Each structure stands twice: as structure tokens, then as C-alpha cells.
Amino acid sequence: MIKLRDDIRNVAIIAHVDHGKTTLVDSLLWQSGVFREGQEVAELVLDSNELERERGITILAKNTAIHYNGVKINIVDTPGHADFGGEVERALTMVDGALLLVDAAEGPLPQTRFVLRKTLEARLPVIVAVNKIDRPDARVKEVVDEIYELFIDLGADDEQIEFPILYCNGRAGRASTDFDRTGREGEDLRPLFEAILNHIPPPAYDPALPLQALVTNLDASPYLGRLAICRVRSGTIRAGSQIAWCRLDGAVERAAVSELFVTEGLERRPVGEAGAGEIVAVAGIEEVTVGETLADPEDPRPLPPIAVEEPALSVTIGVNTSPLAGQEGEKLTARQIKARLDQELVGNVSLRVRELPGEAVGSWEVQGRGELQLAVLVEVMRREGFELTVGQPKVVEKEIDGVRHEPVERLTIDAPEEHVGAVTQLLAGRKGRLEQIVNHGSGWVRMEYVVPTRGLIGLRRELLSETRGTAVLNHTFEGYEPSAGELRRRAGGALVADRRGRTTQYALQALQDRGTLFVGPGEEVYEGMIVGEHNRAGDLDVNPCREKHLTNIRSSTGEVLERPVPFRRLTLDEALEFIDADECVEVTPSSVRLRKAVLDKVVRQKEARRRAGARR
């Protein structure tokens, strides 16, 4: 006999990047009384990670809990970017329903499609909230129609397409159920609270079943060590009790629950026991990992592990072999890098790490969902004091029915009308297939493409250049298609330093006409380091350290003030997009440098001739 826990609701907030999930959670926390009057609280309180605040995105799924009319509502805030889809899939195993946020001006975007598809596959009921209705360019009715079209396109059945719609201004903390008729925003978020209570089902459980709790996430405490974040499916888990730890390899071991916590507001509160439907943090199992089950020691019944989509992109991460290695970081050795990658695998179910054989000893192939996920991992490691060498991102191919297939992405580009031709030409060179083009009548056009994943590498940089920084692009994994063949590489080559030394103003001024510089005066460079982008095809070896020879003859213009040399400092993301197959990025806690994989000029030239001969 199935029973329901009417005192709990578990709901995930899902949306495309920057559609207002974390801001809406802030307002829910305030209006539920989690914060006292006058308390100082940072905006986007759930984006506590330093990198999340800098990038303005949610990277890790987190949960909070609020109370409304005697019901505890556990809210899981999920990432909106498809690169962190593993976090979304884990979050959906913890909840009984989802709140889908859609921007009232932008409408559904690729990652809206991604998170909604995952929710519908999990058979979870959905509440739709059209957010940011206060935007001057809001088009509420059209966006509602687009949401219905998206549900139908994703194969929603009759039951799933009967969803309630709310109209929200998350920043102001207002929601309404009839904005489309009255134009009023509402006074507070009570309509949203009521919708959660009425449309998200309470947790269901079978009282005859023994304890089952699926580990969906991990956290750490400086005092208690690793914490396993679980959703209790059945039975009761108690602090201080013995449990069965069902491991992914099929082994079952005994373990003890040293401490047990539930979330209240933003804090974890210790409790003696927790029943079915509750989300808990369990301390005492040091090697527990995501996907394992905590069960009754007398009757252990493991739950199915979490299944996530396969990685689509990979990079090679290895030790820093440049002449400047060891000057800026503390963690340099292959052993330290391997230990850190193994640590990342414990909690990140969507990553894969494979050691490379042969000459690449000390290097690992790290596979993930996309460039952003891999760039975030490298950024976190450099902030922890690591020095690394990171290779060009490459797609992870599959063989299906004897034919080589590659991952493809659904790409949406919003750009001004006058740049449509430039965008079309750019995507044609990257084997992009135009699926749809819509003119919203505001001077902006939305183009939807299906494009090979490798065609997206470096696209953002070129697209912003072609559209004068106005284009907005979003993409999400679509599936696998037969290989599209050779893609156009970047238009220009690289300006490569031919010696070690410090750059001079005089030398860099002479190189300005050769291309775009990536270094300024007085910087340390070495042979094989990329100091700029050549404005022609092919690499060019240059001397950026040349000094001006002085004479005893005074010139009438010799005392004129020299103008500073313009140069472009690449971020880590831009550097990974720029590099070619024979190049890599040197990453340290304070620098991002581009270099050739082979530093010696003579060896590089021999390799190039050998490859050219092999192609003939």
C-alpha cells in the first residue's frame, strides 16, 4: 500500500542560463521568512561558488528548504547550461516535480529544451513560470505559445501538456496566475507557493519496503569529512545506526551513520532520524560516491544508479613543460594532477578521465559535455595552485553500424538583421544546417542551426567579431550524425616567438602590422610561445624581444613619446577556442599563455614537412 507524505514537497527549478532561477530562489527565501528583517544577504545566495558569481551562472546543483502553510518545500536549484547536464540529471532524481522558468522576452532557448526534455523523460509534473515579465521587450503571449510548441515537439503526452502557468517578476518577488488577462504582476509569490503545493505531488513510499536512499550528490565538511546527499526512497535512516553501503561494483559493505542532517533554509540542521521523501546529508562513509545506495543492513536492496549522457568533447591535460614551468604554481607533478582529476571524478558523474599511452606519459584525456565544463575544471585547478598544459578541444566520436558518427549541437543565434548574411556565411563554413529563421519584428533575427560540435570550437570569438559584439549564441547537445568531413580551420596562423627573453616596445610596434598581438611590452616569452595571431594563413616566427640600437647621433624625432602597443589578453575560454591541433595552452595560477606543442622551431618544421608528405 503506497502512502504519501503531505508535509513535504521536493521541486527542482530548471531553466536556460540567465532566465532567473537563482534570483527567484532568493525571493522565495525572503518571503518564506528564512532571513530576518534587516539581515544582510548577498544576491544570488545559492551561487556561493566564487566562479559561479564571476561567470553569473550556476555550476553545481544545490538545495535549500522553506516552509509554507506547514509544508516543507525542498528546492533544488539546477544549472541551466547543458555542459553541466550531469548536475541536472542528478537533481531530477531527488525531486517529484519541476518549476520551469522561461524568460518573457527570449522565450525557450536550447538549454530550455535540454532541461525540459530530461524532466519529461523522468515523468515529472511541470509548473511553467514566465519570468521577467517586467522587461520592456517582454512578449508574454508569444512566449506561452512557444512553450506549448516546445512541449509538443518533445513528445509530451496529454497529461504532461496540462501544466499551470504563472507570470513572475522574480527580482521584485511577484507572481500572478492571470497576467495575460489583467496585466497585473501580483503582490507577492503566494500564487507560486500555492501552485507548488497543489501541482507538485507529495513524496510517495511503500511502508513495507526497507531503507533505501540513493546518493545523488557529495559535499564535504571540515569536521566530518565527506557528506553523502541522499533522497530517502523508503524506510527510515537514523543517526548512529548501522547501514548497508551498496557500492557501484556490486559489493555490499557495512557502514555507520555518524551524523545525519536535513536542510532548513540555507543551513544543515542535525536530526536523529529522517523518513521517506526527505533529502538528507549523511556523514561517516568516507569513500561513498554518486549513484550508490544506503540500505537496510538486514535486507539491502540497491537502487538503479544514475545514468547520464556520454561526453561529447575532450581535452588533453598534462604537466607544464614550458621553460617558465614552476615559477607561478605550487602543484606541478603528474602525481598531483592525477590525484586532483581522480578527486573530480568522485562527484562529477559526467566526466571521464583516460591516461594516454606512449610518448604522452604525464598526460590525460579528460572527456566532458562541452567547452564550458572543461574550461571551468581547468580554471578551478589553476586557482588551487596547479600548473597545466591543456590541448585543443576535440570531439568524442562513435562508430554506429560501421559508420563514424560525431556529436552535433542545436545552436540558436540572436543577431541584428544587418548581420544575418555574415552569420550564414560563417556557419556554412562550419557545416551548419539552418533549421529555422524567425524575425521578431524588433530588428533582431533568431536563427536555429544543427551544427557539428567541432564546428562550435572558436565560433563564439569569430561570431562576435563579425557582428561587432552583438550576437548572442546558445547551444545544446542534439545527438550523433555521420561525420560532416573536413571543417575550415581558423583564417590566420600564429605569430610564434623564435627565442627566449623579454618583449620590447620597439619589437612589438614593428609586429603590429603582422596581426593581433597577445602580449604587451616587458613580458617574458620563450621559443615556441604564441605571441599573436597572424593576419595571413600559416605561422610566422618572429623576434618580439628585438631592441632598438642606440647611436651617438641625435634624431629630431627620437624624443617623441612612443604610443603604447595595443594587444589583446586572451581569457582561458578564448585561448582554448583559438588554439589549433599542434598548439596548447599553458595555464598557471597567474597566467594563460599560448604555445606550440613542439617548442623547437627546427623540429616543428621537420614535423610539418613529414605531415605534408604523408598527405600526398
Side-chain angles (χ1 to χ4, degrees):
M1 178 183 169
I2 301 298
K3 289 192 174 182
L4 302 177
R5 283 200 62 175
D6 283 322
D7 60 332
I8 290 180
R9 298 291 188 277
N10 296 317
V11 60
I13 297 191
I14 59 174
H16 180 84
V17 175
D18 202 33
H19 279 198
K21 300 183 301 298
T22 310
T23 303
L24 181 64
V25 172
D26 282 1
S27 296
L28 288 169
L29 289 167
W30 275 107
Q31 294 191 21
S32 64
V34 169
F35 306 126
R36 65 179 183 276
E37 194 67 36
Q39 182 177 348
E40 284 193 25
V41 180
E43 285 191 357
L44 307 179
V45 69
L46 283 189
D47 281 351
S48 52
N49 183 305
E50 180 185 353
L51 208 52
E52 290 178 317
R53 290 188 174 276
E54 285 180 18
R55 290 176 176 258
I57 60 173
T58 298
I59 295 173
L60 302 171
K62 308 171 199 67
N63 65 296
T64 182
I66 56 180
H67 289 266
Y68 180 78
N69 284 356
V71 177
K72 181 181 181 180
I73 304 174
N74 286 311
I75 300 175
V76 182
D77 182 23
T78 65
H81 203 290
D83 280 18
F84 305 106
E87 295 286 328
V88 176
E89 286 159 322
R90 284 192 290 182
L92 294 178
T93 64
M94 300 169 70
V95 298
D96 302 296
L99 175 63
L100 173 68
L101 260 66
V102 181
D103 189 294
E106 295 182 357
L109 285 171
Q111 276 122 47
T112 314
R113 170 185 288 268
F114 169 78
V115 294
L116 180 58
R117 175 166 58 87
K118 291 296 177 189
T119 306
L120 295 178
E121 287 173 359
R123 304 294 304 173
L124 296 174
V126 178
I127 299 171
V128 171
V130 180
N131 197 26
K132 303 187 182 182
I133 55 176
D134 57 317
R135 284 184 58 160
D137 56 346
R139 45 187 193 91
V140 175
K141 290 183 179 178
E142 293 92 332
V143 166
V144 170
D145 291 340
E146 291 171 9
I147 293 170
Y148 275 109
E149 288 174 8
L150 178 60
F151 269 77
I152 294 169
D153 193 32
L154 291 175
D157 58 29
D158 293 344
E159 183 182 349
Q160 290 174 319
I161 207 155
E162 290 296 325
F163 51 82
I165 302 177
L166 288 98
Y167 307 90
C168 302
N169 178 351
R171 188 170 294 279
R174 299 194 187 107
S176 169
T177 56
D178 57 359
F179 176 83
D180 58 333
R181 290 189 293 274
T182 65
R184 292 183 66 248
E185 286 187 6
E187 297 177 359
D188 52 29
L189 290 175
R190 266 182 293 186
L192 181 55
F193 283 114
E194 294 291 343
I196 291 172
L197 264 55
N198 295 331
H199 295 282
I200 302 298
Y205 67 100
D206 185 344
L209 288 176
L211 169 65
Q212 290 178 304
L214 183 66
V215 180
T216 55
N217 211 341
L218 299 174
D219 204 347
S221 162
Y223 308 107
L224 299 169
R226 184 177 298 183
L227 299 176
I229 312 300
C230 309
R231 158 79 184 261
V232 182
R233 294 289 175 183
S234 60
T236 301
I237 188 167
R238 295 179 176 84
S241 66
Q242 291 285 314
I243 58 166
W245 169 25
C246 304
R247 307 187 67 160
L248 290 176
D249 59 7
V252 178
E253 299 181 17
R254 286 222 170 203
V257 178
S258 61
E259 293 279 355
L260 185 67
F261 301 90
V262 297
T263 304
E264 294 290 347
L266 296 173
E267 298 177 352
R268 290 199 178 107
R269 181 169 59 83
V271 292
E273 63 178 42
E278 186 62 270
I279 296 173
V280 298
V282 179
I285 313 169
E286 194 54 42
E287 295 183 5
V288 69
T289 191
V290 172
E292 296 181 334
T293 303
L294 307 184
D296 189 320
E298 305 304 324
D299 186 11
R301 301 186 189 183
L303 292 163
I306 299 168
V308 298
E309 288 181 357
E310 292 296 311
L313 211 63
S314 72
V315 295
T316 300
I317 293 179
V319 295
N320 185 9
T321 56
S322 93
L324 303 181
Q327 296 187 9
E328 298 172 359
E330 301 167 354
K331 300 172 183 175
L332 316 169
T333 66
R335 179 182 57 81
Q336 290 172 314
I337 294 171
K338 179 65 167 68
R340 178 61 181 82
L341 292 175
D342 288 342
Q343 177 190 337
E344 187 69 23
L345 287 176
V346 170
N348 196 333
V349 294
S350 59
L351 275 186
R352 307 280 188 278
V353 175
R354 185 172 68 89
E355 191 156 357
L356 297 175
E359 297 177 4
V361 172
S363 298
W364 295 268
E365 182 187 42
V366 181
Q367 300 177 349
R369 288 288 184 87
E371 271 185 287
L372 179 60
Q373 183 191 23
L374 297 171
V376 164
L377 170 61
V378 174
E379 181 67 38
V380 169
M381 290 179 69
R382 72 180 287 212
R383 294 184 184 205
E384 293 173 355
F386 283 89
E387 287 195 10
L388 309 165
T389 300
V390 186
Q392 182 194 39
K394 298 177 181 178
V395 296
V396 179
E397 297 180 332
K398 277 185 176 181
E399 191 167 305
I400 302 175
D401 298 328
V403 179
R404 191 161 57 94
H405 283 60
E406 64 177 333
V408 296
E409 310 263 336
R410 183 167 293 274
L411 170 71
T412 298
I413 300 174
D414 291 297
E417 290 176 338
E418 62 265 27
H419 296 305
V420 169
V423 173
T424 305
Q425 187 173 357
L426 191 60
L427 267 297
R430 293 169 177 267
K431 308 288 187 183
R433 184 172 72 244
L434 183 63
E435 297 266 303
Q436 187 179 24
I437 183 167
V438 179
N439 191 327
H440 292 306
S442 56
W444 283 71
V445 174
R446 174 170 294 177
M447 290 162 279
E448 193 170 292
Y449 284 88
V450 173
V451 61
T453 300
R454 59 195 168 106
L456 297 179
I457 299 172
L459 175 65
R460 188 179 302 272
R461 183 175 56 88
E462 288 190 35
L463 191 65
L464 292 177
S465 174
E466 291 288 343
T467 62
R468 300 176 188 174
T470 55
V472 178
L473 69 158
N474 295 282
H475 58 90
T476 188
F477 177 74
E478 180 74 4
Y480 283 85
E481 291 185 0
S483 179
E486 194 71 25
L487 293 192
R488 180 180 66 82
R489 296 180 181 273
R490 69 178 188 230
L495 299 175
V496 185
D498 64 359
R499 68 199 65 202
R500 183 169 179 176
R502 286 199 175 272
T503 56
T504 64
Q505 177 97 351
Y506 176 70
L508 294 181
Q509 280 186 323
L511 293 175
Q512 284 184 86
D513 295 336
R514 301 284 191 172
T516 304
L517 295 174
F518 297 154
V519 296
E523 294 188 30
E524 186 86 14
V525 298
Y526 51 84
E527 181 183 4
M529 179 173 161
I530 297 171
V531 296
E533 180 179 11
H534 194 197
N535 51 19
R536 296 183 181 181
D539 298 338
L540 181 67
D541 290 289
V542 297
N543 177 8
C545 309
R546 187 157 59 101
E547 296 184 352
K548 185 176 182 180
H549 294 295
L550 301 177
T551 69
N552 58 358
I553 300 173
R554 187 170 179 180
S555 167
S556 61
T557 58
E559 318 247 337
V560 175
L561 181 67
E562 291 185 336
R563 296 182 179 275
V565 180
F567 67 96
R568 181 181 170 206
R569 183 78 68 198
L570 294 184
T571 64
L572 175 59
D573 300 46
E574 291 169 336
L576 290 174
E577 287 188 345
F578 176 83
I579 57 175
D580 218 331
D582 65 336
E583 298 163 357
C584 55
V585 182
E586 176 191 353
V587 181
T588 74
S590 53
S591 303
V592 174
R593 303 184 185 98
L594 284 73
R595 49 162 283 189
K596 289 291 182 179
V598 177
L599 297 178
D600 187 274
K601 174 184 174 182
V602 176
V603 177
R604 266 202 325 275
Q605 289 173 340
K606 286 180 180 178
E607 282 287 313
R609 284 196 294 268
R610 186 182 61 79
R611 285 196 300 269
R615 281 197 294 270
R616 284 198 294 271

